[in-house]
Amino acid sequence: MHIGLIGLGKMGFNMRDRLREQGIEVTGFDRDPELTDVTTLDGLVSALPSPRIIWVMVPAGQITDGVVHELSEALSEGDLVIDGGNSKFSDDQIHATLLAQRGIRFVDCGVSGGVWGLANGYGLMAGGSTEDIELAMPIFDALRPEGDRAESFVHVGDIGAGHYAKMVHNGIEYGLMQSYAEGYELLEAKGIVRDVHGTFAAWQKGTVVRSWLLDLLVKALEEDPNLSRIAGYVEDSGEGRWTVEEAIANSVPAPAITAALFARFSSRQEDAPAMKMVAALRQQFGGHAVKPSRQPPG
Amino acid sequence: MHIGLIGLGKMGFNMRDRLREQGIEVTGFDRDPELTDVTTLDGLVSALPSPRIIWVMVPAGQITDGVVHELSEALSEGDLVIDGGNSKFSDDQIHATLLAQRGIRFVDCGVSGGVWGLANGYGLMAGGSTEDIELAMPIFDALRPEGDRAESFVHVGDIGAGHYAKMVHNGIEYGLMQSYAEGYELLEAKGIVRDVHGTFAAWQKGTVVRSWLLDLLVKALEEDPNLSRIAGYVEDSGEGRWTVEEAIANSVPAPAITAALFARFSSRQEDAPAMKMVAALRQQFGGHAVKPSRQPPG
Amino acid sequence: MHIGLIGLGKMGFNMRDRLREQGIEVTGFDRDPELTDVTTLDGLVSALPSPRIIWVMVPAGQITDGVVHELSEALSEGDLVIDGGNSKFSDDQIHATLLAQRGIRFVDCGVSGGVWGLANGYGLMAGGSTEDIELAMPIFDALRPEGDRAESFVHVGDIGAGHYAKMVHNGIEYGLMQSYAEGYELLEAKGIVRDVHGTFAAWQKGTVVRSWLLDLLVKALEEDPNLSRIAGYVEDSGEGRWTVEEAIANSVPAPAITAALFARFSSRQEDAPAMKMVAALRQQFGGHAVKPSRQPPG
Amino acid sequence: MHIGLIGLGKMGFNMRDRLREQGIEVTGFDRDPELTDVTTLDGLVSALPSPRIIWVMVPAGQITDGVVHELSEALSEGDLVIDGGNSKFSDDQIHATLLAQRGIRFVDCGVSGGVWGLANGYGLMAGGSTEDIELAMPIFDALRPEGDRAESFVHVGDIGAGHYAKMVHNGIEYGLMQSYAEGYELLEAKGIVRDVHGTFAAWQKGTVVRSWLLDLLVKALEEDPNLSRIAGYVEDSGEGRWTVEEAIANSVPAPAITAALFARFSSRQEDAPAMKMVAALRQQFGGHAVKPSRQPPG
C-alpha cells in the first residue's frame, strides 16, 4: 500500500516513520522543505496509485479546512481522505459533504498516543462507512500497537464519530491529569511525605491508580524533581473546551473535567479580574486589607 | 443597661458607638491604650453592675480562648458572657462548659454587617438558653437595625447554633461574591459591554440579582474603575473552610461555595504545583512546550 | 406614545399593564384570543402611528426568529423593533441585519424582574444605537422602577450587548441561588439550627447576604416550610448554558456559575450513568456492593 | 517468618493467601469462626515467635482503635503492630503512642489493589522508623508484585505518612473514576458513538488515557452493557473526605477530587433540599412551574 500523508509536524513525522516501519509506502507533504517528500500537493497526488488514500495530519480548524478544500479540487472520484488531526466533530460532516460533491470519500480518525506513538503504536477511533474504513484498515493496523485490534482500534460510528470519541478521550485526559496533579500538590504542601517522587513511583504496580499517565508523572519527577524548571502555566486546545460544551448541550454534569479546564484558565492568569472583585467586595463590607496591584493604575 | 465590651477593633469599636447611641452604657476594654476605657480586665469587671454582661469581640481561636479563660476566673455566678466574634461553633460548648463550672452563663452570637453595621445595624444570630438570651435582648435590639426584630435577629438554637448559622451565612457570602465576580470577569473579558460599571449600576433596582453586595460592587467600581489598584489576591478566614468541612461531614454537596473557597486559594498562588505537574505531563506525552519557571531551579 | 407589544405571556402580559399604568398606549398581540387586542399582525401594524415601535416578548429561538421575520415584511422604513425576550446575543445581529435590509431599526433589551416587575418595575439592559435607544426611552422609563434611571436602565453597547448583559445577569443569578440553596441544605442537614426559616428571615436586614432573592427565599419558606410540596427538580433555560459557553470561549474560569448549572442537570437525573459507572468500578476493584437498579435490566 | 493477621475480610482473607503463597507463615484471627485460625487474641499472641509481628486489617476508626488497644495489653516489648487498614493518618500517632508506652513498635501501611491484590500483588506505602520497616520488609516483599521494589513499595516517612499517602492515592482515585464516568455518560447521552463499550475497549492500548481503571471499566461493560443492573448510587469511605479536608487545611485547590466527592453525595439523594430551594426561588421570582414532590407534604 502507498499513501500520502499531509502534515509532518510532531505527530505526522512520527506516523510516517511508523507506517514505513510497518511496510506502508508513504509520500509525505509538508510546507517545510526539510521535511517534505514532494514539493507540491499536485506532486503528492500524482505520486499515488488510484484510488488514492491521503492521511491529513495538520492543525484543526482553518488549516484543515484549507487542506480539505484543496484536496477536493486535486483528488478524483473514489479517492479517500482521512482526517487524523484533532478536528471538531462538527467539521467532519462539512468536509465530507464538500468532498462527496466530487465523489471523494472521507473518514475521520481520532489518534491518541502523542510522541510515544512511534514506538508504542497509536490508539485509533475512526468514523465513516464500513467500506471506507475497510479500505484504510492496513493503515490503521500499521499505526496501532500490535496485538488484538479491538484494544487499540474502533470503528466508532458514522462520519464525525471518530473525532467525537477522541474529543471525549481528551476531556477524560484533562480530568485524569488534574486529579493526579491535585494529589501531587497536596503531598508537596503537607510535607509529611518525605519522598513524593518515590511515592508516585511506588504506585506504578499493584495500585488502583496505576496508569500510563502515572508512569509519565514519575518520569517527569525523575527528570526535574520538584518541577522547578516548569512554570504552572497550562495551555488548552480545543478538545477540552468542546467536551464541556457538549456536556452542556447534552445536559450531562461534568464537574471534574470542567474543573480541569478552568484550572488551566486560572493557571494563565496573573491577576484574575474576578478575584480583584472579591478582594474589592471584602474591603467594601469588612474593611479587609487588599493587596495593592503590582501594575501601576495608569 | 451597662455592659462590658472586650475587643475594640474594626468591629468592636463601631459596636461600642452604636450601643451608646442606642442608650446602652458601655465600658470597653482593649489592649490598645488609645481605645480602651479601662486599663485592666479587673477594672472592667468592677465597673459593671451585677449580673455583669460582657460582650467579647476578639479574633476567634486562641485569643477568644484566652479571654474566655480569664473571664471564667474574673466573673461571678450569674454573670453572662456573649461571644460575638467568629468563633467556630464547636468551640462554643467548650467555652460554655468552662464558664458553667463557675456558674457563669454563655451565649454565642454571630454578627454580620461589617463596617456598615454602625450606621445600618447588624444582623444577629444567637445561640443559648432562652433565659440568657432574654437577658441580653436590649443589647441585641440596640445592635440590630430598627424595625421588625425577626428580620435581623434570631434565637437560632442551643449553644453553638448562633455561630453555626453565622458560619453558613459566611459560606453563602463566599458563593455570592464569587458569582458576581465571575460575571464581572466575563463582562470585562468579552468587551461587548461598553460600560461594565454602568451595567452593574443598572442592576440595583428591579432585577433579580439586586442585593447589598451588588450595591457595594457598584461602589467599588465607582472608586476604582477596572479595579486597577487592587491585586487579585483574596484571603480567607475560618468560616468558608468550616462551611465546606461541615458540608462534607453532613454529606451535603456544596460545589458553588467550595468553588469560591478554592478560587481564593488559587488567587494566592504564583505558580501552582498542580499546574506545574499538568504542564509537565503534557510535555511528557505530547511534547508540548512548557513555560519555563521564573524561579531559578535553585 | 403608542406602541405594539407582541407576546402576552407571563412577562408580556404584565408589561402591557405596567406600560398602560405609566401612560403608554399599548396594542397587544398574542395568539391567544383571550389575551390579544388585535386579531392579526397586520391589524397590529395598521393600528400604530408611524414610526411604529413594536416590543417583542416571545420565547427565544425559533419563535422570536419567526416573529422578526414576519415583522421584516410587515413593517416599514424607520420603524423600530425591540426584542425584550431572552434571545441569545448572537441572534441579535442576525435579526438586526434582516430588518436593516428593509430600513427597519432594531434594539435588543434584556429585562429582569420576573412576575414582580409589574409592581416593582423592571431592570433593563439595552443594546443598539444611541438614536434608536433615545426613541424608545419613554418605554424604558415606563417599565423601570421610579427613581434614578442609572439604577435600573443601561445602554450597554451596540446591538447584542443588551442580551449579553442579561445573559451574564442570569448566569450570576444561577450562582446566587445555588449559594443560598447550599446553605439551606446544610442548615437542614445539620439540625443544630432549630428554626431554619427564622434564620433566613433574620438575615433580611443588616447582614452581608441580604438581597431580593433572600427575601423571596424567606417567602418561599413561609408558604411551604421544609419545601415539602416541591420536588428537587430544576429546569434550566438557555442563559445559564450560554454564560458557561461564553466563559469557556473567553478563557474565564466560572466554577461557581458552572456548579449551579451542573447541579440543575443532576437534579433532573434519577440514575446518572456516570454514577452507575463509578459504582461499577468500585465493584470491580474493591468488590464493593452496588445498589441494584430499580429498572429491570430489560 | 511467622506473623499474625487480624481481620480476614475481603482484604485480609486474600492477603493471608498471598502471604502463604509467598512463603510467609500466617496465623489469622477473625471474629468469624469460619475464617479464623485461632479462637482468641491470646491464642494468636501465644502462637507467634518473638518479637511478634501482627498485621491489623480491620475497618478504620473504632474497630481499629479497639484492636490496637487490646494489642497494647496483649503484646510485649519489642513486638511490632502494622496497621494495614484505611486508618486516618492522624490516628496513627495516637496508636503509636499508646503502643510505645509498652515498648511495642508501630508501622502504618497503606495498601492498594483491592480484590486483585491476591493475584497481582498490592501497592504498599509504609510510615514508621527505618528499623521497624526493615523488620517487616519480608512481608512487604511478599505482598507487593514481583519486580523492582520501588515500583510498588515506598517508605513514605514517619508514622502516619503511609496512611497519608494512601489517603491521597484514594483521593486521586476518586478523581480518575469521576473523569472516566463523565466521559462515559457523555458518550451515552450523545448517541453519535454506536459502540460505547468498543470505544473504551479500543483505548486500552496506545492511548494517553490507558490505565488499570480503564481495563476494569471495559470489563464492567462486558459484564453488564449499559450498566442496566447497577443503580447510580455511590458510597464514599473516609479517604475521599479526608483528602478534601486536608486540601482545605493546606490551602490546596482540589476542584476535581472535590467534584468527585460531591457527585457521590448527590448520587445518594432522591430529592436534594438545595434543589428544592432553587426550584422554589424560580417559582417565586419567575412564576416558573415546579415539579410537585412525590412525598405527601404530611
Side-chain angles (χ1 to χ4, degrees), chain B residues 112-113 125 150-152 156 158 164 175 179 182 190 193-194 201-203 205-208 210 212 246 254-257, chain C residues 112-113 125 150-152 156 158 164 175 179 182 190 193-194 201-208 210 212 246 254-257:
Chain B
S112 179
M125 303 137 241
E151 291 183 347
S152 55
V156 188
D158 294 332
Y164 199 90
S179 300
E182 292 176 5
K190 180 70 172 183
V193 165
R194 214 151 40 199
W203 291 350
K205 297 272 168 65
T207 70
V208 174
R210 65 192 191 260
W212 188 61
E246 278 295 298
I257 292 173
Chain C
S112 179
M125 304 136 243
E151 291 184 347
S152 55
V156 189
D158 295 331
Y164 199 90
S179 300
E182 292 176 5
K190 179 71 172 185
V193 165
R194 215 152 41 202
W203 290 350
Q204 291 179 101
K205 296 272 169 66
T207 70
V208 175
R210 64 192 192 261
W212 188 61
E246 278 295 298
I257 292 173

Side-chain angles (χ1 to χ4, degrees), chain A residues 152-279:
Chain A
S152 55
F153 172 82
V154 60
H155 178 189
V156 188
D158 294 332
I159 283 167
H163 279 137
Y164 199 89
K166 178 60 177 8
M167 177 197 81
V168 174
H169 167 283
N170 281 30
I172 292 171
E173 182 188 297
Y174 274 55
L176 302 182
M177 288 197 283
Q178 180 69 21
S179 300
Y180 285 117
E182 291 175 6
Y184 168 73
E185 181 164 329
L186 180 51
L187 288 177
E188 286 286 358
K190 179 70 171 186
I192 195 177
V193 165
R194 217 153 37 203
D195 178 5
V196 172
H197 169 232
T199 299
F200 280 98
W203 290 350
Q204 291 179 100
K205 296 273 168 67
T207 69
V208 174
V209 303
R210 64 191 191 262
S211 73
W212 187 60
L213 277 167
L214 178 71
D215 297 342
L216 294 182
L217 187 158
V218 173
K219 201 163 163 296
L221 287 175
E222 266 162 27
E223 295 172 4
D224 182 8
N226 305 117
L227 305 178
S228 55
R229 298 197 298 263
I230 296 179
Y233 180 100
V234 188
E235 299 284 357
D236 73 289
S237 54
E239 286 159 316
R241 297 178 179 218
W242 302 332
T243 302
V244 180
E245 287 170 9
E246 278 295 299
I248 293 170
N250 291 280
S251 303
V252 169
I257 293 174
T258 306
L261 180 65
F262 287 161
R264 293 188 180 195
F265 293 171
S266 291
S267 80
R268 305 198 298 259
Q269 297 185 305
E270 284 279 328
D271 216 23
M275 303 321 290
K276 291 160 81 84
M277 179 52 84
V278 176

